[in-house]
Amino acid sequence: MCTAATYKTKDFYMGRTLDYEFSYGEQITITPRNYEFDFRFAGKIKSHYALIGMAFVAGGYPLYYDAVNEKGLGMAGLNFVGNAAYEEALPEDETEVSQVAQFEFIPWILTQCATVAEAREKLAAMRLTGTAFSEQLPTAQLHWIIADKDSCIVVESMKDGLHVYDNPVGVLTNNPPFPGQMFALNNYAGVSRKQPESTFAGVLQLDAYSRGMGGMGIPGDLSSQSRFVKVAFTKLNSISGEEEGESVSQFFHILGSVDQQRGCCEVTEGKYEITIYTSCCNTAKGIYYYTTYDNHQITAVDMHAENLDSDQLICYPLLSKGEVRWQNK
Ligand SMILES: C[C@H](CCC(=O)NCCS(=O)(=O)O)[C@H]1CC[C@H]2[C@@H]3CC[C@@H]4C[C@H](O)CC[C@]4(C)[C@H]3C[C@H](O)[C@]12C
């Protein structure tokens, strides 16, 4: 399972957790402006916006899981198993709209669009195909969150077509489809950051014997619907300073509310899903911050510290070993 969230202070932040039982060997990957994209159906794009994000690089191609571009538009793909359905690719002369393979979707949008509004225009004239990247890397069943500092949408390709939803909460997890995730918030209309006043029944005098009782009822399990509710509550009630350090710290706390500890979610006999990495991108500054399961120290890669006019991918392997900072030796 995965969870994605946005967060706004002075700058706009976007990130995700990637929860899984194994890793493909993903790296922080910068795609500079002149790296040539040779899209399966949509032709070549030689020069474009630069990207930074998490990708598995296969045969020199960045298979992005999540990324932002230098204009501040961000996008993340999350599992959508059982609900994702893509189009069959048509011969070029049988369609007027652009055909985009699901594994190309993030670069296709982020190389060309500066805002969610521009992304919406692309989405309106596009077919998302189920074309696999390779035999070894079959089609992933995903849905996507796309956001800039002013708005956020969710894109779901299903049997009945391509859906684009406004996302007023700025959170996405996995199943059910996004309208279902949103609808479930109705069940928690009564929760609050404030202590409850007893409304149980007039005859009873109930006691708020502990702090935090206003949130009673918010689920704490690792199912995707529960994580959606938990992160929505945490994010929408979040308060932090405006500065970079305070904002980034708060962001990791927001996604920390749905962190997956090894052992709590068995996927198959002896295999456990864990939060492999958590990311937070400052979309204005192009800085990709991350932590990994065993490295809680926040590590950062700044796209603007690289030559963004290059035509070669720039990759940084995840620093996944934690370090203890000793105070007395
Ligand atoms: C496994 C991850 C989702 C984690 C998740 O949500 N786990 C909960 C399971 S569940 O929700 O409980 O069922 C997803 C998220 C992004 C994906 C990559 C996207 C690019 C590329 C697309 C190609 O077509 C196939 C290979 C490829 C590298 C993909 C591999 C894999 O699919 C990735 C990592």
Side-chain angles (χ1 to χ4, degrees), residues 14-328:
M14 183 173 182
R16 60 102 52 82
T17 58
L18 185 108
D19 307 333
Y20 217 48
E21 63 278 16
F22 69 89
S23 159
Y24 286 80
E26 54 277 350
Q27 300 187 304
I28 295 73
T29 304
I30 296 162
T31 302
R33 296 180 190 117
N34 295 308
Y35 169 91
E36 182 175 297
F37 275 101
D38 188 0
F39 291 104
R40 290 281 165 107
F41 313 101
K44 289 187 178 170
I45 297 186
K46 287 201 170 137
S47 100
H48 50 76
Y49 298 138
L51 322 179
I52 183 168
M54 193 67 82
F56 172 50
V57 177
Y61 188 91
L63 289 165
Y64 275 108
Y65 307 2
D66 52 86
V68 306
N69 68 15
E70 59 184 305
K71 293 290 174 188
L73 184 67
M75 187 163 171
L78 288 82
N79 258 11
F80 193 41
V81 176
N83 282 305
Y86 306 106
E87 307 274 0
E88 290 273 336
L90 293 174
E92 221 169 282
D93 54 356
E94 281 179 35
T95 172
E96 310 230 300
V97 302
S98 307
Q99 302 199 89
V100 179
Q102 48 78 37
F103 65 83
E104 302 172 326
F105 193 27
I106 291 181
W108 195 72
I109 293 289
L110 295 187
T111 52
Q112 307 182 78
C113 304
T115 59
V116 168
E118 287 181 23
R120 273 184 187 279
E121 285 175 26
K122 289 270 173 223
L123 294 169
M126 186 191 101
R127 299 177 79 239
L128 198 58
T129 74
T131 316
F133 178 75
S134 64
E135 233 170 85
Q136 296 75 30
L137 296 168
T139 306
Q141 296 193 44
L142 304 173
H143 58 173
W144 292 266
I145 180 170
I146 306 180
D148 61 21
K149 63 183 182 1
D150 302 312
S151 59
C152 180
I153 57 175
V154 168
V155 180
E156 297 186 334
S157 181
M158 296 175 57
K159 264 205 221 75
D160 59 349
L162 192 76
H163 301 277
V164 181
Y165 301 106
D166 281 316
N167 184 343
V169 176
V171 171
L172 184 67
T173 63
N174 310 106
N175 283 331
F178 183 69
Q181 298 196 12
M182 280 298 292
F183 182 81
L185 292 180
N186 288 309
N187 298 342
Y188 304 93
V191 300
S192 166
R193 56 152 64 127
K194 292 200 162 66
Q195 286 292 62
E197 303 270 329
S198 173
T199 51
F200 191 93
V203 292
L204 277 181
Q205 182 59 45
L206 297 178
D207 190 18
Y209 61 87
S210 162
R211 292 181 176 184
M213 291 181 76
M216 277 238 176
I218 289 180
D221 67 276
L222 295 173
S223 68
S224 47
Q225 180 65 78
S226 295
R227 283 180 286 109
F228 184 82
V229 175
K230 172 87 186 180
V231 178
F233 180 79
T234 310
K235 175 205 156 157
L236 296 175
N237 285 295
S238 251
I239 291 172
S240 73
E242 296 267 300
E243 293 312 317
E244 185 71 355
E246 300 165 306
S247 307
V248 171
S249 168
Q250 185 74 9
F251 189 91
F252 279 96
H253 281 297
I254 293 169
L255 286 184
S257 70
V258 289
D259 204 37
Q260 297 210 31
Q261 302 80 13
R262 186 179 294 114
C264 296
C265 172
E266 190 176 50
V267 193
T268 50
E269 186 69 32
K271 286 237 161 93
Y272 300 96
E273 185 161 302
I274 61 168
T275 299
I276 293 177
Y277 72 82
T278 305
S279 68
C280 166
C281 214
N282 179 322
T283 64
K285 296 200 171 86
I287 303 174
Y288 194 94
Y289 299 91
Y290 71 91
T291 59
T292 71
Y293 192 79
D294 287 319
N295 181 11
H296 298 263
Q297 165 73 50
I298 296 171
T299 307
V301 177
D302 180 351
M303 77 191 281
H304 294 288
E306 306 291 340
N307 172 14
L308 291 183
D309 289 323
S310 152
D311 57 4
Q312 299 294 317
L313 296 181
I314 302 154
C315 294
Y316 287 92
L318 291 179
L319 300 182
S320 55
K321 273 235 160 26
E323 277 172 36
V324 174
R325 192 197 290 175
W326 288 95
Q327 275 197 287
N328 67 344

